């Protein structure tokens, strides 16, 4: 309704709400993502640096793992947070390539920023990027080398997995000990059930002290000695082929009297109750002993009475075993967790070849080795500093995930920027010949963005990036060398397949798709509405009372002017 030729002002959003929109908003979002990319890109590749991150509590983390860095960066810009999501999804889906995916997404946005500034519609850019991504993924599938035949031959299959694990480790702290850890990682993944391949069943225990090469691979389960009561030292600490019982029962005297209220009139009646409590716990302990088990484990506490009872009968016991450790013992020994001490049958017991309690560094560990079921294993990591061991664990996680994916997906591509350069070359040639309209520039921008991977690898290694990239372009476009990539040994160009720098094709496909999706999402946002917690003052010391905007809107319906 118009009053006196003037259109009344309509307040829709809460006071203090910040709104910004249009081309400037898209460019602002792109700049925020480029700031994140600038932080993380120096960690890419074999010669990438590490970041020292300190949180609000002063806890330090030294890492070059993309997913960890993105998780620890306290990013407040809403658009830049999308990069955190793609790093996490890459880590969950593949386990490696987390830095690459953020660097790629940032570079795609950087290349299309020029088109945005020139006024090209975001929808045209998004369409072009999606088309380029589809073509790139199809090209990867086309050039990828299948290892299907090698999967049937155990030796060559193992060698392929070792090469993939070694490539995943080249950019990590443990690259100097690649050979040592590669064997450990491949052994660990192959020890799992090949149907499930649940990496949670690979236990990783960290013990400060010693050198990296003092790390152990246990083909079974190892966990730190649990809290123990008097009598524990009298128990035997080593068995050969013992029977193992796993319980979810509390073996403590106090457990019974908490469960009931009893009124007594004579002292003899009270004594009968006390005797009954002792009889209950003794019956439980006797039932466990009669199973013939030599190792008793429980998720719940095993008290001092039970500990001494087992010690007198040459039985080892451990209470308060962590649930994940107990799950791995069950998987390794074939035992079944029991929630009662009665009716434990022989088939409920597990067994292992050797059980022993051993001193490792400053800790005592219980080890179950030579297990018949052995669908689990444990890596005991050693090292000088806790920060260092934590980074080794993150590095091994990436390598384990790569090997796991390689067992499922039998196709590999060359690393060292070879795959990206080949796709870039293909897209450039395709755009020149087959894309006549304005999407041609978008596809070319996408192709140019892919070159960021080899360029950043060169920059981080201190090489002449321009020179090496020019050589790579010639190799890929004119000489047809599909697997030409950055040679870190002789500072030049080499065949990545011959150098055994291999990566699963899945890593590249997932990274490209995630980076493109993130870029399209950021480009499609052209308005941000930020609701502040408290309304900003209106004029000198005046704040709009709660609900004023709604009342104003209601008032307009009754023909009232809005001031």
């Amino acid at each position: 309704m118009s009053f006196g030729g003037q259109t009344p002002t309509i307040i829709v959003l809460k006071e203090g709400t910040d709104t910004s929109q249009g081309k400037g908003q898209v460019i602002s979002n792109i700049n925020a993502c480029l700031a994140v990319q600038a932080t993380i890109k120096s960690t890419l590749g074999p010669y990438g640096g590490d970041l020292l991150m300190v949180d609000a509590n002063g806890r330090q983390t030294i890492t070059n793992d993309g997913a960890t860095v993105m998780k620890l960066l306290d990013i407040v810009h809403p658009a830049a947070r999308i990069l955190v999501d793609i790093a996490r999804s890459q880590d969950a889906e593949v386990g490696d390539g987390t830095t690459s995916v953020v660097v790629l997404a940032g570079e795609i946005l950087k290349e299309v920023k020029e088109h945005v500034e020139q006024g090209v519609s975001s929808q045209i850019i998004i369409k072009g990027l999606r088309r380029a991504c589809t073509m790139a993924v199809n090209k990867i599938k086309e050039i990828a080398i299948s290892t299907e035949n090698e999967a049937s031959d155990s030796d060559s299959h193992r060698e392929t997995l070792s090469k993939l694990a070694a490539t995943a480790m080249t950019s990590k702290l443990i690259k100097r000990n690649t050979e040592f850890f590669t064997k450990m990682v491949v052994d660990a993944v192959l020890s799992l059930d090949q149907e499930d391949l649940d990496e949670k069943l690979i236990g990783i225990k960290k013990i400060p002290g010693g050198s990296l090469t003092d790390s152990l691979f246990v083909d079974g389960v190892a966990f730190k000695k649990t809290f123990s009561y008097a009598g524990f030292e009298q128990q035997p600490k080593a068995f050969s082929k013992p029977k193992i019982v796993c319980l979810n029962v509390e073996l403590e005297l106090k457990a019974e009297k908490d469960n009931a209220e009893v009124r007594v009139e004579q002292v003899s009646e009270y004594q009968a109750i006390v005797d009954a409590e002792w009889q209950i716990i003794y019956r439980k302990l006797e039932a466990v002993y009669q199973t013939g088990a030599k190792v008793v484990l429980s998720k719940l506490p095993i008290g001092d009475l039970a500990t001494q009872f087992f010690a007198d009968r040459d039985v080892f016991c451990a209470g308060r075993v962590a649930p994940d450790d107990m799950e791995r013992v069950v998987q390794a020994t074939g035992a079944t967790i029991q929630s009662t001490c009665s009716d434990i049958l022989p088939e409920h017991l597990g067994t292992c070849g050797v059980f022993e309690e051993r001193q490792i560094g400053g800790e005592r560990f219980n080890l179950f080795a030579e297990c018949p079921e052995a669908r689990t294993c444990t890596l005991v990591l050693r090292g000088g500093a806790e920060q260092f061991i934590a980074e080794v664990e993150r590095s091994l996680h990436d390598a384990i995930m790569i090997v796991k994916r390689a067992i499922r997906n039998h196709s590999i591509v060359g690393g060292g920027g070879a795959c990206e350069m080949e796709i870039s070359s293909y897209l450039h040639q395709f755009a020149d010949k087959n894309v006549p309209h304005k999407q041609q520039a978008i596809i070319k921008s996408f192709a140019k963005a892919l070159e960021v991977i080899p360029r950043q690898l060169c920059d981080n290694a201190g090489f002449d990036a321009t020179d090496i990239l020019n050589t790579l372009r010639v190799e890929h476009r004119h000489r047809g060398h599909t697997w030409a990539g950055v040679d870190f040994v002789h500072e030049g160009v080499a065949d990545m397949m011959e150098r055994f720098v291999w990566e699963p094709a899945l890593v590249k496909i997932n990274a490209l798709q995630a980076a493109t999706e993130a870029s399209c999402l950021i480009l499609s946002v052209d308005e941000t509405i930020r609701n502040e917690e408290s309304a900003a003052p209106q004029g000198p010391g005046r704040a709009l009372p709660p609900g004023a905007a709604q009342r104003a809107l209601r008032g307009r319906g009754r023909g009232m002017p809005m001031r």
Side-chain angles (χ1 to χ4, degrees):
M1 189 181 291
S2 176
F3 293 86
Q6 292 183 347
T7 305
T9 307
I10 300 171
I11 304 167
V12 176
L13 299 172
K14 186 172 152 189
E15 295 302 320
T17 300
D18 171 38
T19 66
S20 46
Q21 63 188 96
K23 186 166 75 174
Q25 178 61 47
V26 178
I27 291 169
S28 163
N29 288 346
I30 290 174
N31 289 337
C33 294
L34 292 181
V36 175
Q37 184 213 33
T39 305
I40 201 173
K41 67 182 181 182
S42 62
T43 68
L44 186 71
Y47 293 98
D50 290 358
L51 296 182
L52 169 58
M53 312 193 74
V54 185
D55 66 9
N57 301 322
R59 193 168 61 244
Q60 309 153 351
T61 308
I62 299 173
T63 183
N64 69 358
D65 179 54
T68 309
V69 172
M70 296 303 286
K71 197 161 53 182
L72 294 174
L73 281 178
D74 192 7
I75 296 173
V76 292
H77 195 284
R81 279 193 197 159
I82 294 166
L83 298 184
V84 179
D85 292 342
I86 60 169
R88 283 186 177 172
S89 77
Q90 179 80 4
D91 194 44
E93 183 62 26
V94 190
D96 196 19
T98 46
T99 308
S100 304
V101 76
V102 176
V103 171
L104 261 177
E107 197 66 16
I108 292 170
L109 290 169
K110 183 179 173 184
E111 290 298 331
V112 299
K113 182 179 169 185
E114 188 185 335
H115 302 303
V116 175
E117 287 169 344
Q118 289 170 356
V120 179
S121 164
S122 288
Q123 293 309 316
I124 289 174
I125 298 174
I126 289 169
K127 211 177 285 181
L129 290 179
R130 290 221 164 107
R131 183 177 178 185
C133 177
T134 306
M135 286 159 53
V137 169
N138 291 339
K139 182 66 176 172
I140 292 175
K141 289 176 179 172
E142 182 189 316
I143 63 174
I145 293 171
S146 173
T147 57
E148 196 85 57
N149 298 334
E150 294 180 11
S152 53
D153 177 6
S154 60
D155 289 343
S156 59
H157 182 50
R158 188 186 179 84
E159 197 176 326
T160 303
L161 297 178
S162 299
K163 297 286 191 297
L164 292 165
T167 304
M169 289 181 199
T170 51
S171 62
K172 308 295 181 187
L173 265 179
I174 53 177
K175 63 184 172 193
R176 292 185 191 84
N177 305 98
T178 299
E179 201 173 318
F180 177 79
F181 283 108
T182 298
K183 184 178 184 308
M184 193 181 278
V185 164
V186 175
D187 285 344
V189 179
L190 291 179
S191 70
L192 298 177
D193 182 348
Q194 297 300 293
E195 293 297 315
D196 295 340
L197 285 176
D198 183 2
E199 72 276 3
K200 293 187 184 71
L201 293 177
I202 300 175
I204 297 182
K205 305 295 177 186
K206 297 171 283 192
I207 307 175
S211 72
L212 267 182
T213 48
D214 291 336
S215 301
L216 293 174
F217 171 78
V218 180
D219 191 13
V221 183
F223 55 83
K224 199 158 71 169
K225 170 179 167 289
T226 57
F227 180 85
S228 55
Y229 290 88
F232 179 81
E233 292 307 325
Q234 297 164 33
Q235 293 180 352
K237 301 296 188 289
F239 292 105
S240 178
K241 297 187 178 171
K243 287 183 179 172
I244 300 163
V245 64
C246 296
L247 303 172
N248 192 16
V249 179
E250 189 174 7
L251 296 177
E252 284 202 274
L253 186 60
K254 64 172 184 144
E256 313 307 330
K257 65 186 177 191
D258 298 339
N259 299 335
E261 180 184 322
V262 182
R263 296 184 182 181
V264 295
E265 293 177 1
Q266 296 177 8
V267 174
S268 59
E269 290 176 2
Y270 178 73
Q271 185 60 45
I273 293 166
V274 173
D275 291 344
E277 285 182 344
W278 281 75
Q279 287 303 316
I280 290 168
I281 182 86
Y282 271 122
R283 272 203 299 273
K284 282 183 180 179
L285 297 175
E286 192 61 39
V288 173
Y289 174 64
Q290 290 302 326
T291 62
K294 284 293 185 184
V295 177
V296 180
L297 304 177
S298 178
K299 288 184 182 180
L300 298 174
I302 294 180
D304 46 4
L305 176 71
T307 304
Q308 190 64 58
F309 179 92
F310 289 130
D312 293 343
R313 288 157 181 77
D314 281 343
V315 175
F316 174 90
C317 70
R320 298 180 186 170
V321 178
D324 56 337
D325 287 332
M326 185 66 95
E327 175 59 31
R328 292 189 302 107
V329 169
V330 165
Q331 292 284 350
T333 62
T336 310
I337 295 179
Q338 300 296 302
S339 53
T340 173
C341 293
S342 55
D343 299 325
I344 299 178
L345 304 174
E347 56 264 31
H348 296 150
L349 304 180
T351 185
C352 66
V354 177
F355 166 80
E356 63 175 325
E357 186 177 295
R358 194 198 301 177
Q359 187 81 18
I360 304 176
E363 307 282 357
R364 291 192 71 76
F365 263 69
N366 298 325
L367 277 79
F368 300 79
E370 298 175 24
C371 302
E373 302 284 325
R375 290 197 297 262
T376 179
C377 64
T378 309
L379 309 179
V380 181
L381 304 180
R382 307 297 310 280
E386 285 187 24
Q387 300 282 0
F388 191 71
I389 303 175
E391 178 62 2
V392 170
E393 182 187 7
R394 286 189 285 271
S395 306
L396 290 182
H397 167 262
D398 284 8
I400 286 166
M401 291 295 284
I402 283 290
V403 173
K404 176 184 166 182
R405 298 297 172 205
I407 289 174
R408 291 266 171 84
N409 301 277
H410 303 289
S411 59
I412 58 168
V413 293
C419 186
E420 287 82 3
M421 286 303 294
E422 180 63 22
I423 300 162
S424 174
S425 168
Y426 164 70
L427 288 176
H428 270 299
Q429 290 169 353
F430 182 87
D432 284 337
K433 293 173 187 171
N434 305 325
V435 187
H437 50 86
K438 49 191 160 185
Q439 277 194 10
Q440 183 186 59
I442 311 297
I443 291 174
K444 284 193 159 236
S445 295
F446 185 92
K448 191 178 175 196
L450 289 173
E451 293 184 357
V452 72
I453 299 293
R455 186 188 304 119
Q456 198 59 48
L457 290 174
C458 293
D459 285 345
N460 291 350
F463 297 165
D464 184 343
T466 310
D467 186 36
I468 289 176
L469 269 170
N470 283 335
T471 311
L472 281 172
R473 286 190 194 109
V474 171
E475 292 289 331
H476 284 272
R477 290 186 196 176
H478 305 297
R479 294 184 183 161
H481 291 172
T482 306
W483 302 121
V486 182
D487 179 3
F488 292 100
V489 182
H490 302 112
E491 190 176 340
V493 172
D495 188 309
M496 293 292 105
M497 281 293 165
E498 288 178 6
R499 285 288 170 89
F500 301 117
V501 182
W502 300 349
E503 294 184 63
L506 185 71
V507 176
K508 300 296 183 192
I509 290 171
N510 208 72
L512 273 175
Q513 288 174 332
T516 308
E517 283 300 322
S519 306
C520 293
L521 190 57
I522 289 161
L523 288 168
S524 66
V525 174
D526 72 339
E527 181 168 6
T528 300
I529 301 171
R530 192 193 296 268
N531 286 320
E532 298 298 337
E533 298 238 341
S534 56
Q538 302 298 303
R542 225 174 84 219
L544 205 66
Q550 289 85 336
R551 286 199 298 278
L553 280 171
R554 284 201 301 274
R556 185 169 185 263
R558 295 196 296 270
M560 293 167 60
M562 303 195 62
R563 308 194 207 290

